[in-house]
Short mmCIF file of all heavy atoms in Angstrom, two decimals:
data_model
loop_
_atom_site.label_atom_id
_atom_site.label_comp_id
_atom_site.label_asym_id
_atom_site.label_seq_id
_atom_site.Cartn_x
_atom_site.Cartn_y
_atom_site.Cartn_z
N MET A 1 22.50 -12.82 -8.99
CA MET A 1 21.92 -12.89 -10.30
C MET A 1 21.10 -14.17 -10.41
O MET A 1 21.50 -15.22 -9.94
CB MET A 1 23.02 -12.86 -11.36
CG MET A 1 22.46 -12.85 -12.75
SD MET A 1 23.70 -12.60 -14.00
CE MET A 1 23.65 -10.85 -14.16
N ALA A 2 19.97 -14.08 -11.04
CA ALA A 2 19.07 -15.22 -11.17
C ALA A 2 19.44 -16.09 -12.37
O ALA A 2 19.99 -15.62 -13.35
CB ALA A 2 17.64 -14.72 -11.32
N LYS A 3 19.12 -17.36 -12.28
CA LYS A 3 19.27 -18.26 -13.41
C LYS A 3 17.98 -18.20 -14.21
O LYS A 3 16.89 -18.25 -13.65
CB LYS A 3 19.51 -19.69 -12.94
CG LYS A 3 20.82 -19.87 -12.26
CD LYS A 3 21.01 -21.30 -11.83
CE LYS A 3 22.31 -21.42 -11.09
NZ LYS A 3 22.54 -22.77 -10.62
N VAL A 4 18.10 -18.10 -15.50
CA VAL A 4 16.92 -18.06 -16.36
C VAL A 4 16.80 -19.41 -17.04
O VAL A 4 17.71 -19.87 -17.71
CB VAL A 4 17.02 -16.94 -17.41
CG1 VAL A 4 15.81 -16.95 -18.32
CG2 VAL A 4 17.17 -15.59 -16.72
N LEU A 5 15.65 -20.05 -16.84
CA LEU A 5 15.39 -21.35 -17.42
C LEU A 5 14.21 -21.26 -18.38
O LEU A 5 13.31 -20.46 -18.19
CB LEU A 5 15.08 -22.38 -16.33
CG LEU A 5 16.19 -22.62 -15.33
CD1 LEU A 5 15.69 -23.47 -14.19
CD2 LEU A 5 17.37 -23.26 -16.00
N CYS A 6 14.25 -22.08 -19.40
CA CYS A 6 13.24 -22.03 -20.45
C CYS A 6 12.87 -23.46 -20.83
O CYS A 6 13.71 -24.35 -20.79
CB CYS A 6 13.82 -21.28 -21.65
SG CYS A 6 12.70 -21.15 -23.04
N HIS A 7 11.63 -23.68 -21.22
CA HIS A 7 11.26 -25.00 -21.73
C HIS A 7 10.80 -24.94 -23.19
O HIS A 7 10.27 -25.90 -23.72
CB HIS A 7 10.20 -25.67 -20.85
CG HIS A 7 8.91 -24.94 -20.77
ND1 HIS A 7 7.97 -24.98 -21.76
CD2 HIS A 7 8.42 -24.14 -19.82
CE1 HIS A 7 6.94 -24.24 -21.41
NE2 HIS A 7 7.19 -23.71 -20.25
N MET A 8 11.07 -23.81 -23.84
CA MET A 8 10.75 -23.68 -25.27
C MET A 8 11.81 -24.45 -26.05
O MET A 8 12.99 -24.10 -26.03
CB MET A 8 10.73 -22.22 -25.69
CG MET A 8 9.73 -21.37 -24.94
SD MET A 8 8.05 -21.92 -25.13
CE MET A 8 7.73 -21.48 -26.81
N THR A 9 11.42 -25.49 -26.73
CA THR A 9 12.39 -26.36 -27.41
C THR A 9 12.94 -25.75 -28.69
O THR A 9 13.97 -26.19 -29.18
CB THR A 9 11.75 -27.72 -27.75
OG1 THR A 9 10.59 -27.49 -28.55
CG2 THR A 9 11.38 -28.47 -26.49
N ASP A 10 12.29 -24.70 -29.21
CA ASP A 10 12.75 -24.14 -30.48
C ASP A 10 13.30 -22.73 -30.37
O ASP A 10 13.49 -22.07 -31.38
CB ASP A 10 11.61 -24.17 -31.50
CG ASP A 10 10.43 -23.33 -31.08
OD1 ASP A 10 10.34 -22.97 -29.89
OD2 ASP A 10 9.59 -23.03 -31.95
N CYS A 11 13.61 -22.24 -29.18
CA CYS A 11 14.15 -20.89 -29.02
C CYS A 11 15.63 -20.88 -29.39
O CYS A 11 16.39 -21.76 -28.97
CB CYS A 11 13.97 -20.39 -27.59
SG CYS A 11 14.57 -18.69 -27.36
N LYS A 12 16.04 -19.90 -30.16
CA LYS A 12 17.44 -19.84 -30.59
C LYS A 12 18.39 -19.36 -29.48
O LYS A 12 19.58 -19.48 -29.61
CB LYS A 12 17.60 -18.97 -31.83
CG LYS A 12 17.32 -17.51 -31.60
CD LYS A 12 17.73 -16.61 -32.75
CE LYS A 12 17.07 -16.89 -34.04
NZ LYS A 12 17.37 -15.91 -35.08
N HIS A 13 17.86 -18.87 -28.36
CA HIS A 13 18.70 -18.37 -27.27
C HIS A 13 18.88 -19.36 -26.12
O HIS A 13 19.53 -19.05 -25.16
CB HIS A 13 18.10 -17.08 -26.70
CG HIS A 13 17.95 -16.00 -27.72
ND1 HIS A 13 19.01 -15.42 -28.36
CD2 HIS A 13 16.84 -15.41 -28.23
CE1 HIS A 13 18.57 -14.51 -29.20
NE2 HIS A 13 17.25 -14.50 -29.15
N ARG A 14 18.31 -20.54 -26.24
CA ARG A 14 18.45 -21.50 -25.15
C ARG A 14 19.71 -22.33 -25.34
O ARG A 14 20.23 -22.45 -26.45
CB ARG A 14 17.24 -22.40 -25.05
CG ARG A 14 17.16 -23.44 -26.15
CD ARG A 14 16.15 -24.51 -25.78
NE ARG A 14 15.97 -25.46 -26.85
CZ ARG A 14 16.71 -26.53 -27.03
NH1 ARG A 14 17.69 -26.80 -26.22
NH2 ARG A 14 16.48 -27.35 -28.03
N SER A 15 20.20 -22.92 -24.25
CA SER A 15 21.38 -23.79 -24.34
C SER A 15 21.01 -25.07 -25.08
O SER A 15 19.83 -25.43 -25.18
CB SER A 15 21.90 -24.11 -22.95
OG SER A 15 20.96 -24.87 -22.24
N ARG A 16 21.99 -25.74 -25.60
CA ARG A 16 21.73 -26.96 -26.39
C ARG A 16 21.52 -28.19 -25.51
O ARG A 16 20.93 -29.16 -25.94
CB ARG A 16 22.88 -27.20 -27.37
CG ARG A 16 23.09 -26.06 -28.33
CD ARG A 16 21.87 -25.89 -29.20
NE ARG A 16 21.96 -24.67 -29.97
CZ ARG A 16 21.02 -23.74 -30.01
NH1 ARG A 16 19.94 -23.87 -29.30
NH2 ARG A 16 21.18 -22.67 -30.73
N ARG A 17 22.02 -28.14 -24.29
CA ARG A 17 21.86 -29.28 -23.38
C ARG A 17 20.80 -28.98 -22.33
O ARG A 17 20.75 -27.89 -21.79
CB ARG A 17 23.18 -29.57 -22.67
CG ARG A 17 24.25 -30.05 -23.56
CD ARG A 17 25.46 -30.41 -22.75
NE ARG A 17 26.60 -30.67 -23.62
CZ ARG A 17 27.82 -30.71 -23.21
NH1 ARG A 17 28.11 -30.49 -21.95
NH2 ARG A 17 28.79 -30.97 -24.06
N ALA A 18 20.01 -29.97 -22.04
CA ALA A 18 19.00 -29.83 -21.00
C ALA A 18 19.68 -29.79 -19.63
O ALA A 18 20.75 -30.38 -19.44
CB ALA A 18 18.02 -30.99 -21.05
N SER A 19 19.07 -29.08 -18.71
CA SER A 19 19.61 -28.98 -17.35
C SER A 19 19.49 -30.33 -16.64
O SER A 19 18.47 -30.99 -16.73
CB SER A 19 18.84 -27.92 -16.56
OG SER A 19 19.24 -27.91 -15.22
N LYS A 20 20.54 -30.71 -15.94
CA LYS A 20 20.50 -31.94 -15.16
C LYS A 20 19.87 -31.70 -13.80
O LYS A 20 19.42 -32.63 -13.15
CB LYS A 20 21.92 -32.50 -14.99
CG LYS A 20 22.55 -32.94 -16.29
CD LYS A 20 23.95 -33.44 -16.06
CE LYS A 20 24.59 -33.84 -17.38
NZ LYS A 20 25.96 -34.30 -17.21
N ILE A 21 19.83 -30.46 -13.36
CA ILE A 21 19.33 -30.12 -12.03
C ILE A 21 17.84 -29.76 -12.06
O ILE A 21 17.08 -30.21 -11.22
CB ILE A 21 20.13 -28.94 -11.45
CG1 ILE A 21 21.60 -29.31 -11.33
CG2 ILE A 21 19.57 -28.52 -10.10
CD1 ILE A 21 22.50 -28.15 -10.98
N TYR A 22 17.43 -28.98 -13.05
CA TYR A 22 16.08 -28.43 -13.07
C TYR A 22 15.20 -29.12 -14.09
O TYR A 22 15.60 -29.37 -15.22
CB TYR A 22 16.12 -26.93 -13.39
CG TYR A 22 16.92 -26.14 -12.40
CD1 TYR A 22 18.19 -25.69 -12.71
CD2 TYR A 22 16.41 -25.85 -11.15
CE1 TYR A 22 18.93 -24.96 -11.80
CE2 TYR A 22 17.14 -25.14 -10.22
CZ TYR A 22 18.39 -24.69 -10.56
OH TYR A 22 19.12 -23.97 -9.66
N LYS A 23 13.98 -29.44 -13.67
CA LYS A 23 12.92 -29.98 -14.53
C LYS A 23 11.60 -29.41 -14.04
O LYS A 23 11.49 -28.94 -12.92
CB LYS A 23 12.87 -31.50 -14.45
CG LYS A 23 14.05 -32.18 -15.08
CD LYS A 23 13.88 -33.67 -15.07
CE LYS A 23 15.09 -34.31 -15.71
NZ LYS A 23 15.01 -35.74 -15.76
N THR A 24 10.59 -29.44 -14.89
CA THR A 24 9.27 -28.99 -14.45
C THR A 24 8.64 -30.07 -13.57
O THR A 24 9.15 -31.18 -13.47
CB THR A 24 8.36 -28.70 -15.66
OG1 THR A 24 8.21 -29.90 -16.41
CG2 THR A 24 8.92 -27.61 -16.53
N LYS A 25 7.51 -29.75 -12.97
CA LYS A 25 6.84 -30.71 -12.10
C LYS A 25 6.41 -31.97 -12.84
O LYS A 25 6.39 -33.05 -12.27
CB LYS A 25 5.62 -30.06 -11.46
CG LYS A 25 5.95 -29.05 -10.42
CD LYS A 25 4.70 -28.48 -9.80
CE LYS A 25 5.02 -27.42 -8.78
NZ LYS A 25 3.81 -26.85 -8.18
N ASN A 26 6.07 -31.83 -14.11
CA ASN A 26 5.64 -33.00 -14.88
C ASN A 26 6.80 -33.72 -15.58
O ASN A 26 6.58 -34.60 -16.39
CB ASN A 26 4.57 -32.61 -15.90
CG ASN A 26 5.05 -31.63 -16.94
OD1 ASN A 26 6.21 -31.22 -16.94
ND2 ASN A 26 4.16 -31.23 -17.82
N GLY A 27 8.04 -33.33 -15.30
CA GLY A 27 9.22 -34.00 -15.83
C GLY A 27 9.74 -33.45 -17.14
O GLY A 27 10.68 -34.01 -17.71
N ARG A 28 9.16 -32.37 -17.62
CA ARG A 28 9.61 -31.76 -18.87
C ARG A 28 11.00 -31.15 -18.70
O ARG A 28 11.32 -30.60 -17.65
CB ARG A 28 8.61 -30.68 -19.24
CG ARG A 28 8.54 -30.34 -20.66
CD ARG A 28 7.33 -29.48 -20.89
NE ARG A 28 7.51 -28.75 -22.12
CZ ARG A 28 6.74 -27.79 -22.54
NH1 ARG A 28 5.71 -27.41 -21.81
NH2 ARG A 28 6.97 -27.19 -23.67
N LYS A 29 11.84 -31.22 -19.72
CA LYS A 29 13.20 -30.71 -19.64
C LYS A 29 13.23 -29.19 -19.63
O LYS A 29 12.43 -28.53 -20.28
CB LYS A 29 14.01 -31.22 -20.82
CG LYS A 29 14.21 -32.71 -20.82
CD LYS A 29 14.99 -33.14 -22.03
CE LYS A 29 15.18 -34.64 -22.01
NZ LYS A 29 15.93 -35.11 -23.17
N MET A 30 14.18 -28.64 -18.89
CA MET A 30 14.40 -27.19 -18.84
C MET A 30 15.78 -26.90 -19.42
O MET A 30 16.70 -27.70 -19.29
CB MET A 30 14.33 -26.68 -17.40
CG MET A 30 13.00 -26.90 -16.71
SD MET A 30 11.67 -25.98 -17.42
CE MET A 30 12.06 -24.35 -16.89
N TYR A 31 15.90 -25.75 -20.05
CA TYR A 31 17.15 -25.34 -20.68
C TYR A 31 17.55 -23.97 -20.14
O TYR A 31 16.70 -23.15 -19.81
CB TYR A 31 16.97 -25.24 -22.19
CG TYR A 31 16.59 -26.55 -22.83
CD1 TYR A 31 15.27 -26.92 -22.97
CD2 TYR A 31 17.56 -27.42 -23.29
CE1 TYR A 31 14.92 -28.12 -23.55
CE2 TYR A 31 17.22 -28.62 -23.88
CZ TYR A 31 15.89 -28.97 -24.00
OH TYR A 31 15.55 -30.16 -24.58
N GLY A 32 18.84 -23.72 -20.05
CA GLY A 32 19.33 -22.42 -19.62
C GLY A 32 19.27 -21.42 -20.76
O GLY A 32 19.35 -21.78 -21.93
N CYS A 33 19.12 -20.14 -20.43
CA CYS A 33 19.10 -19.09 -21.43
C CYS A 33 20.52 -18.56 -21.61
O CYS A 33 21.24 -18.35 -20.63
CB CYS A 33 18.16 -17.96 -21.00
SG CYS A 33 18.00 -16.66 -22.22
N LEU A 34 20.92 -18.32 -22.84
CA LEU A 34 22.27 -17.85 -23.13
C LEU A 34 22.40 -16.32 -23.10
O LEU A 34 23.50 -15.79 -23.16
CB LEU A 34 22.72 -18.36 -24.50
CG LEU A 34 22.78 -19.88 -24.65
CD1 LEU A 34 23.14 -20.26 -26.07
CD2 LEU A 34 23.77 -20.48 -23.67
N LEU A 35 21.29 -15.61 -23.01
CA LEU A 35 21.33 -14.16 -22.98
C LEU A 35 21.76 -13.65 -21.61
O LEU A 35 21.48 -14.27 -20.59
CB LEU A 35 19.96 -13.59 -23.33
CG LEU A 35 19.46 -13.90 -24.74
CD1 LEU A 35 18.03 -13.39 -24.89
CD2 LEU A 35 20.36 -13.27 -25.77
N ASP A 36 22.44 -12.51 -21.57
CA ASP A 36 22.87 -11.91 -20.31
C ASP A 36 21.70 -11.31 -19.55
O ASP A 36 21.67 -11.33 -18.32
CB ASP A 36 23.92 -10.82 -20.56
CG ASP A 36 25.23 -11.41 -21.04
OD1 ASP A 36 25.48 -12.60 -20.78
OD2 ASP A 36 25.99 -10.69 -21.69
N ALA A 37 20.76 -10.72 -20.26
CA ALA A 37 19.61 -10.09 -19.63
C ALA A 37 18.38 -10.32 -20.50
O ALA A 37 18.47 -10.34 -21.73
CB ALA A 37 19.84 -8.60 -19.46
N ILE A 38 17.24 -10.54 -19.87
CA ILE A 38 15.99 -10.70 -20.60
C ILE A 38 14.94 -9.79 -19.99
O ILE A 38 15.10 -9.30 -18.88
CB ILE A 38 15.48 -12.16 -20.58
CG1 ILE A 38 15.17 -12.61 -19.16
CG2 ILE A 38 16.47 -13.09 -21.25
CD1 ILE A 38 14.37 -13.88 -19.10
N VAL A 39 13.86 -9.59 -20.72
CA VAL A 39 12.72 -8.82 -20.23
C VAL A 39 11.51 -9.75 -20.25
O VAL A 39 11.18 -10.32 -21.28
CB VAL A 39 12.45 -7.59 -21.11
CG1 VAL A 39 11.21 -6.86 -20.64
CG2 VAL A 39 13.64 -6.67 -21.11
N VAL A 40 10.87 -9.91 -19.10
CA VAL A 40 9.66 -10.70 -19.00
C VAL A 40 8.54 -9.72 -18.67
O VAL A 40 8.64 -8.94 -17.74
CB VAL A 40 9.78 -11.77 -17.89
CG1 VAL A 40 8.48 -12.53 -17.74
CG2 VAL A 40 10.92 -12.71 -18.20
N ARG A 41 7.47 -9.76 -19.48
CA ARG A 41 6.37 -8.84 -19.24
C ARG A 41 5.06 -9.58 -19.32
O ARG A 41 4.98 -10.70 -19.83
CB ARG A 41 6.39 -7.69 -20.23
CG ARG A 41 6.03 -8.06 -21.63
CD ARG A 41 5.91 -6.82 -22.51
NE ARG A 41 5.53 -7.19 -23.85
CZ ARG A 41 4.29 -7.13 -24.32
NH1 ARG A 41 3.32 -6.70 -23.56
NH2 ARG A 41 4.03 -7.49 -25.56
N LYS A 42 4.02 -8.94 -18.86
CA LYS A 42 2.68 -9.50 -18.88
C LYS A 42 2.15 -9.47 -20.31
O LYS A 42 2.37 -8.52 -21.05
CB LYS A 42 1.76 -8.70 -17.96
CG LYS A 42 0.39 -9.26 -17.83
CD LYS A 42 -0.45 -8.44 -16.87
CE LYS A 42 -1.86 -8.99 -16.82
NZ LYS A 42 -2.73 -8.19 -15.99
N ILE A 43 1.45 -10.53 -20.69
CA ILE A 43 0.83 -10.59 -22.01
C ILE A 43 -0.25 -9.54 -22.10
O ILE A 43 -1.08 -9.40 -21.20
CB ILE A 43 0.24 -11.99 -22.27
CG1 ILE A 43 1.34 -13.05 -22.27
CG2 ILE A 43 -0.54 -12.02 -23.57
CD1 ILE A 43 0.83 -14.47 -22.32
N THR A 44 -0.28 -8.78 -23.19
CA THR A 44 -1.31 -7.78 -23.39
C THR A 44 -2.62 -8.48 -23.70
O THR A 44 -2.72 -9.23 -24.68
CB THR A 44 -0.93 -6.83 -24.55
OG1 THR A 44 0.35 -6.28 -24.28
CG2 THR A 44 -1.95 -5.73 -24.71
N ASP A 45 -3.61 -8.25 -22.87
CA ASP A 45 -4.89 -8.94 -22.99
C ASP A 45 -6.00 -7.94 -22.65
O ASP A 45 -6.38 -7.79 -21.50
CB ASP A 45 -4.92 -10.14 -22.05
CG ASP A 45 -6.17 -10.97 -22.17
OD1 ASP A 45 -6.81 -10.94 -23.23
OD2 ASP A 45 -6.49 -11.66 -21.19
N PHE A 46 -6.52 -7.27 -23.66
CA PHE A 46 -7.50 -6.22 -23.42
C PHE A 46 -8.87 -6.75 -23.00
O PHE A 46 -9.54 -6.15 -22.17
CB PHE A 46 -7.65 -5.35 -24.68
CG PHE A 46 -6.39 -4.63 -25.05
CD1 PHE A 46 -5.70 -4.96 -26.19
CD2 PHE A 46 -5.89 -3.64 -24.22
CE1 PHE A 46 -4.53 -4.30 -26.53
CE2 PHE A 46 -4.72 -2.97 -24.55
CZ PHE A 46 -4.04 -3.30 -25.71
N ASP A 47 -9.29 -7.87 -23.56
CA ASP A 47 -10.63 -8.36 -23.25
C ASP A 47 -10.67 -9.45 -22.19
O ASP A 47 -11.74 -9.87 -21.77
CB ASP A 47 -11.31 -8.86 -24.52
CG ASP A 47 -10.50 -9.92 -25.25
OD1 ASP A 47 -9.43 -10.29 -24.75
OD2 ASP A 47 -10.96 -10.35 -26.32
N GLY A 48 -9.51 -9.93 -21.75
CA GLY A 48 -9.47 -10.92 -20.67
C GLY A 48 -9.62 -12.36 -21.12
O GLY A 48 -9.70 -13.26 -20.29
N ASP A 49 -9.65 -12.61 -22.43
CA ASP A 49 -9.80 -13.98 -22.92
C ASP A 49 -8.60 -14.86 -22.60
O ASP A 49 -8.76 -16.00 -22.18
CB ASP A 49 -10.03 -13.99 -24.43
CG ASP A 49 -11.41 -13.48 -24.82
OD1 ASP A 49 -12.29 -13.46 -23.93
OD2 ASP A 49 -11.59 -13.12 -25.99
N CYS A 50 -7.39 -14.33 -22.79
CA CYS A 50 -6.17 -15.12 -22.50
C CYS A 50 -6.09 -15.48 -21.03
O CYS A 50 -5.79 -16.62 -20.68
CB CYS A 50 -4.93 -14.35 -22.91
SG CYS A 50 -4.73 -14.15 -24.67
N GLU A 51 -6.37 -14.52 -20.17
CA GLU A 51 -6.32 -14.79 -18.73
C GLU A 51 -7.35 -15.82 -18.32
O GLU A 51 -7.10 -16.66 -17.46
CB GLU A 51 -6.53 -13.50 -17.95
CG GLU A 51 -6.32 -13.66 -16.47
CD GLU A 51 -6.38 -12.35 -15.73
OE1 GLU A 51 -6.18 -11.30 -16.34
OE2 GLU A 51 -6.61 -12.40 -14.51
N ALA A 52 -8.51 -15.80 -18.95
CA ALA A 52 -9.55 -16.78 -18.63
C ALA A 52 -9.14 -18.18 -19.06
O ALA A 52 -9.47 -19.16 -18.39
CB ALA A 52 -10.86 -16.39 -19.32
N VAL A 53 -8.41 -18.29 -20.16
CA VAL A 53 -8.03 -19.60 -20.68
C VAL A 53 -6.78 -20.15 -19.99
O VAL A 53 -6.76 -21.29 -19.54
CB VAL A 53 -7.81 -19.54 -22.21
CG1 VAL A 53 -7.24 -20.84 -22.73
CG2 VAL A 53 -9.11 -19.20 -22.92
N ILE A 54 -5.70 -19.34 -19.90
CA ILE A 54 -4.43 -19.86 -19.37
C ILE A 54 -4.20 -19.53 -17.91
O ILE A 54 -3.30 -20.08 -17.30
CB ILE A 54 -3.23 -19.37 -20.21
CG1 ILE A 54 -3.09 -17.86 -20.16
CG2 ILE A 54 -3.33 -19.86 -21.62
CD1 ILE A 54 -1.86 -17.32 -20.85
N GLY A 55 -4.98 -18.64 -17.32
CA GLY A 55 -4.84 -18.32 -15.90
C GLY A 55 -3.90 -17.16 -15.65
O GLY A 55 -2.98 -16.90 -16.43
N ARG A 56 -4.12 -16.46 -14.55
CA ARG A 56 -3.32 -15.30 -14.19
C ARG A 56 -1.86 -15.65 -13.94
O ARG A 56 -0.95 -14.88 -14.24
CB ARG A 56 -3.90 -14.63 -12.96
CG ARG A 56 -3.17 -13.40 -12.52
CD ARG A 56 -3.84 -12.76 -11.32
NE ARG A 56 -5.03 -12.07 -11.71
CZ ARG A 56 -5.10 -10.75 -11.95
NH1 ARG A 56 -4.03 -10.03 -11.78
NH2 ARG A 56 -6.21 -10.19 -12.31
N GLU A 57 -1.57 -16.84 -13.42
CA GLU A 57 -0.20 -17.23 -13.09
C GLU A 57 0.65 -17.52 -14.33
O GLU A 57 1.86 -17.60 -14.24
CB GLU A 57 -0.19 -18.44 -12.15
CG GLU A 57 -0.74 -19.71 -12.75
CD GLU A 57 -2.26 -19.84 -12.69
OE1 GLU A 57 -2.93 -18.95 -12.18
OE2 GLU A 57 -2.76 -20.85 -13.19
N ASN A 58 0.03 -17.66 -15.49
CA ASN A 58 0.75 -17.95 -16.73
C ASN A 58 0.72 -16.78 -17.71
O ASN A 58 0.86 -16.98 -18.91
CB ASN A 58 0.16 -19.18 -17.41
CG ASN A 58 0.33 -20.42 -16.57
OD1 ASN A 58 1.37 -20.61 -15.96
ND2 ASN A 58 -0.69 -21.24 -16.51
N MET A 59 0.57 -15.57 -17.22
CA MET A 59 0.41 -14.41 -18.08
C MET A 59 1.72 -13.66 -18.35
O MET A 59 1.72 -12.48 -18.62
CB MET A 59 -0.61 -13.44 -17.46
CG MET A 59 -2.03 -13.92 -17.48
SD MET A 59 -2.73 -13.96 -19.12
CE MET A 59 -2.80 -12.25 -19.52
N ALA A 60 2.86 -14.33 -18.30
CA ALA A 60 4.15 -13.68 -18.56
C ALA A 60 4.77 -14.26 -19.82
O ALA A 60 4.55 -15.42 -20.15
CB ALA A 60 5.09 -13.87 -17.39
N GLN A 61 5.54 -13.44 -20.52
CA GLN A 61 6.24 -13.91 -21.71
C GLN A 61 7.61 -13.27 -21.80
O GLN A 61 7.80 -12.14 -21.38
CB GLN A 61 5.43 -13.62 -22.97
CG GLN A 61 5.31 -12.15 -23.30
CD GLN A 61 4.50 -11.91 -24.55
OE1 GLN A 61 4.04 -12.84 -25.18
NE2 GLN A 61 4.32 -10.66 -24.90
N CYS A 62 8.57 -13.99 -22.36
CA CYS A 62 9.90 -13.47 -22.61
C CYS A 62 9.86 -12.63 -23.87
O CYS A 62 9.38 -13.09 -24.91
CB CYS A 62 10.90 -14.61 -22.75
SG CYS A 62 12.56 -14.08 -23.16
N MET A 63 10.39 -11.44 -23.81
CA MET A 63 10.36 -10.54 -24.96
C MET A 63 11.40 -10.90 -26.03
O MET A 63 11.34 -10.40 -27.14
CB MET A 63 10.58 -9.09 -24.51
CG MET A 63 9.49 -8.57 -23.61
SD MET A 63 7.85 -8.66 -24.35
CE MET A 63 8.09 -7.66 -25.80
N TYR A 64 12.34 -11.78 -25.71
CA TYR A 64 13.41 -12.12 -26.65
C TYR A 64 13.25 -13.51 -27.25
O TYR A 64 14.18 -14.02 -27.87
CB TYR A 64 14.77 -12.00 -25.97
CG TYR A 64 15.04 -10.60 -25.51
CD1 TYR A 64 15.12 -10.29 -24.17
CD2 TYR A 64 15.19 -9.58 -26.42
CE1 TYR A 64 15.35 -9.00 -23.74
CE2 TYR A 64 15.42 -8.27 -26.00
CZ TYR A 64 15.50 -8.00 -24.67
OH TYR A 64 15.73 -6.72 -24.25
N TYR A 65 12.10 -14.14 -27.08
CA TYR A 65 11.87 -15.46 -27.67
C TYR A 65 11.89 -15.35 -29.19
O TYR A 65 11.17 -14.56 -29.78
CB TYR A 65 10.54 -16.04 -27.19
CG TYR A 65 10.11 -17.25 -27.99
CD1 TYR A 65 10.78 -18.45 -27.86
CD2 TYR A 65 9.07 -17.19 -28.89
CE1 TYR A 65 10.42 -19.56 -28.59
CE2 TYR A 65 8.69 -18.28 -29.63
CZ TYR A 65 9.36 -19.46 -29.48
OH TYR A 65 9.01 -20.56 -30.21
N GLU A 66 12.76 -16.15 -29.82
CA GLU A 66 12.83 -16.21 -31.28
C GLU A 66 12.92 -17.68 -31.68
O GLU A 66 13.85 -18.36 -31.28
CB GLU A 66 14.07 -15.48 -31.79
CG GLU A 66 14.07 -14.00 -31.55
CD GLU A 66 15.34 -13.35 -32.09
OE1 GLU A 66 15.59 -13.52 -33.31
OE2 GLU A 66 16.05 -12.75 -31.31
N PRO A 67 11.96 -18.17 -32.46
CA PRO A 67 12.04 -19.57 -32.87
C PRO A 67 13.17 -19.79 -33.88
O PRO A 67 13.50 -18.90 -34.65
CB PRO A 67 10.69 -19.83 -33.51
CG PRO A 67 10.16 -18.50 -33.88
CD PRO A 67 10.76 -17.52 -32.92
N GLN A 68 13.74 -20.98 -33.83
CA GLN A 68 14.77 -21.34 -34.81
C GLN A 68 14.12 -21.56 -36.16
O GLN A 68 13.04 -22.12 -36.24
CB GLN A 68 15.49 -22.61 -34.38
CG GLN A 68 16.30 -22.46 -33.14
CD GLN A 68 16.89 -23.76 -32.69
OE1 GLN A 68 16.55 -24.82 -33.18
NE2 GLN A 68 17.81 -23.69 -31.74
N ILE A 69 14.79 -21.14 -37.18
CA ILE A 69 14.22 -21.32 -38.54
C ILE A 69 14.90 -22.47 -39.22
O ILE A 69 15.98 -22.82 -39.03
CB ILE A 69 14.38 -20.02 -39.36
CG1 ILE A 69 13.57 -18.93 -38.69
CG2 ILE A 69 13.94 -20.23 -40.78
CD1 ILE A 69 13.72 -17.58 -39.32
#
């Protein structure tokens, strides 16, 4: 089973403590996901504007992201 890590600071499904093992290349904190299963899919982009701006390698999103209110 894979470990799911997230760097969204306001997601209600992330752990409260930052990971001591994992960080991004630029040193940003990563958090573990508390959900048992997630769905990651490609961003719907009909005209190609998103892909042109953020790049093909960043075209995925978690379907269960919910900001804390």
Side-chain angles (χ1 to χ4, degrees):
M1 184 172 268
K3 292 181 183 179
V4 178
L5 299 171
C6 179
H7 62 79
M8 301 300 289
T9 57
D10 63 343
C11 182
K12 67 169 60 174
H13 302 296
R14 73 165 176 87
S15 64
R16 301 297 170 233
R17 294 185 189 164
S19 174
K20 295 179 182 178
I21 300 171
Y22 300 104
K23 291 185 180 181
T24 60
K25 288 181 182 180
N26 62 1
R28 204 169 159 189
K29 294 179 180 180
M30 299 294 287
Y31 299 89
C33 184
L34 299 176
L35 297 174
D36 291 337
I38 63 166
V39 176
V40 177
R41 71 173 181 98
K42 185 178 177 184
I43 297 172
T44 305
D45 184 24
F46 297 112
D47 56 2
D49 288 342
C50 291
E51 187 174 339
V53 173
I54 63 174
R56 182 178 285 263
E57 66 276 0
N58 296 320
M59 290 290 293
Q61 68 180 359
C62 176
M63 297 302 301
Y64 298 113
Y65 167 71
E66 294 180 57
Q68 293 175 348
I69 297 175

